[in-house]
Amino acid sequence: MKPDPIVPISAIEHFVYCPRQCALIHCDGVWSDNAHTVRGSRAHRRVDSGRHRRERGRQVLRAIPLWSEALGLSGRADAVEIEGGAVRPVEYKSGVRHGTAADLQLCAQALCLEEMLGVDVLCGHVWYGGPRRRVQVDFTPAIRCDVQDVICLIRAQMLTAELPDAPNDPRCAECQLLQHCVPELTSAPRRVSRYMASVVFECAT
Ligand code: SF4
């Protein structure tokens, strides 16, 4: 029997944004950059080039590898802060907050740190480059359940390698995989026929 696939922590954000995007990236190996991902990579290059250091009385460790055997997870924290015995992951985002995706990703990092270090991780921070603001995320029982549910869904997707239908909604305009996904063609059949009708109409006019 094949072992269950390890879920990359980064897949959580992709899945929460769009399950089809997650399948394209993590099952089919498709990747493409757009303005958002290029901005994000630049911001991460700056974070990655930073060294471990002390800042305002706390130890800041950069680019820390993470894993959880219990959850079958692996990834990396942009930074982990240690202050007075408290351990907190920090995630850097170049833009603005979009729903709970970053919170769930951060919580997954916290679950890894708890297992790796044998400590309780009660909260963490997401730093948003758009407003240049740091937002605290408390790891409540509810968010811990949510992230475990998402991990199970991603693992099921990796096992079946099924590509979900394209939602073909406003998310697509901002999506890095828009050119590969072609959501007008790959959404539910009803939408395909509507798309074909619109193409025929455009050609006829
Ligand atoms: S283009 Fe739309 S449907 Fe396709 S992966 Fe991106 S968000 Fe999902």
Side-chain angles (χ1 to χ4, degrees), residues 4-205:
D4 279 348
I6 300 294
V7 173
I9 292 176
S10 60
I12 293 170
E13 192 170 20
H14 297 139
F15 188 90
V16 173
Y17 186 75
C18 168
R20 183 177 172 87
Q21 187 197 66
C22 182
L24 285 167
I25 293 173
H26 297 280
C27 300
D28 295 354
V30 176
W31 182 263
S32 181
D33 279 313
N34 65 5
H36 300 301
T37 57
V38 168
R39 227 179 0 250
S41 304
R42 284 208 188 122
H44 273 98
R45 262 208 301 276
R46 276 197 299 276
V47 172
D48 293 347
S49 63
R51 293 168 187 270
H52 305 333
R53 60 180 179 188
R54 282 199 81 76
E55 263 175 23
R56 295 179 209 146
R58 56 188 177 225
Q59 181 96 29
V60 183
L61 310 176
R62 309 250 179 213
I64 299 299
L66 299 174
W67 66 91
S68 161
E69 285 188 23
L71 296 169
L73 263 185
S74 80
R76 209 185 57 159
D78 290 338
V80 175
E81 295 180 353
I82 302 170
E83 184 177 20
V87 175
R88 294 183 291 258
V90 182
E91 175 71 17
Y92 290 84
K93 298 291 178 199
S94 57
V96 297
R97 182 179 159 86
H98 291 292
T100 59
D103 301 359
L104 291 166
Q105 187 180 351
L106 192 71
C107 184
Q109 296 173 9
L111 296 176
C112 290
L113 286 167
E114 289 186 339
E115 184 177 320
M116 290 164 61
L117 304 177
V119 296
D120 291 330
V121 180
L122 304 179
C123 68
H125 293 92
V126 183
W127 193 88
Y128 291 100
R132 301 190 62 77
R133 211 161 70 82
R134 181 173 150 119
V135 175
Q136 179 168 321
V137 179
D138 294 325
F139 303 130
T140 61
I143 192 171
R144 286 166 185 266
C145 282
D146 287 350
V147 76
Q148 291 187 45
D149 288 348
V150 172
I151 292 165
C152 287
L153 290 169
I154 296 170
R155 181 165 294 111
Q157 187 179 69
M158 292 170 87
L159 282 167
T160 60
E162 264 179 29
L163 198 55
D165 281 343
N168 195 17
D169 64 16
R171 281 173 287 182
C172 300
E174 304 294 319
C175 177
Q176 67 189 93
L177 298 187
L178 179 60
Q179 306 301 324
H180 298 276
C181 172
V182 199
E184 299 90 341
L185 287 176
T186 48
S187 51
R190 196 165 45 84
R191 294 203 188 118
V192 173
S193 53
R194 210 163 52 212
Y195 173 77
M196 293 309 291
S198 76
V199 170
V200 170
F201 178 77
E202 272 173 28
C203 290
T205 52

